[in-house]
């Protein structure tokens, strides 16, 4: 009742390990790009007059834009006066 050695198992583990490593690298790249984009956007907003960024919209697709006592989502068009 011992476990039989299957060379396919070792190969499969190596392939999965390599794939996991590739996915981790891609995720790190996407996270760095998202951080750069957010930092750039915050810089642009700081330069613009009477505009600021709020928290994430309820749609989850964008940050809210705050301007003239109104919050606005450029993605789903949610709008509310504050």
């Amino acid at each position: 009742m011992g476990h039989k050695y299957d060379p396919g198992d070792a190969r499969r583990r190596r392939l999965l390990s390599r794939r996991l490593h590739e996915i981790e690298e891609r995720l790190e790249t996407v996270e760095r790009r998202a951080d750069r984009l957010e930092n750039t956007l915050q810089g642009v907003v700081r330069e613009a007059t009477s505009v600021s960024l709020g928290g994430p919209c309820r749609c989850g697709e964008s940050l809210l834009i705050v301007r003239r006592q109104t919050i606005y989502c450029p993605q789903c068009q949610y709008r509310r006066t504050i």
Side-chain angles (χ1 to χ4, degrees):
M1 291 207 203
H3 178 70
K4 258 184 148 177
Y5 174 73
D6 182 357
D9 286 346
R11 183 173 186 273
R12 199 170 13 260
R13 280 194 300 275
R14 283 193 307 274
L15 289 173
L16 288 173
S17 178
R18 187 176 312 128
R19 182 71 177 132
L20 177 59
H21 180 70
E22 291 169 358
I23 291 169
E24 287 172 337
E25 286 180 343
R26 288 176 57 196
L27 178 59
E28 288 174 9
T29 298
V30 168
E31 286 175 336
R32 281 193 304 273
R33 291 181 70 198
D35 287 344
R36 275 197 308 264
L37 182 58
E38 185 174 359
N39 291 337
T40 301
L41 180 57
Q42 288 175 350
V44 168
V45 167
R46 270 194 306 271
E47 296 296 320
T49 57
S50 71
V51 176
S52 63
L53 289 180
C57 180
R58 61 186 180 184
C59 74
E61 300 296 320
S62 180
L63 295 176
L64 294 166
I65 296 171
V66 182
R67 183 171 182 212
R68 296 187 191 138
Q69 298 182 341
T70 300
I71 58 173
Y72 171 78
C73 176
Q75 185 65 31
C76 72
Q77 275 64 68
Y78 170 76
R79 182 181 302 268
R80 190 178 99 208
T81 303
I82 51 175

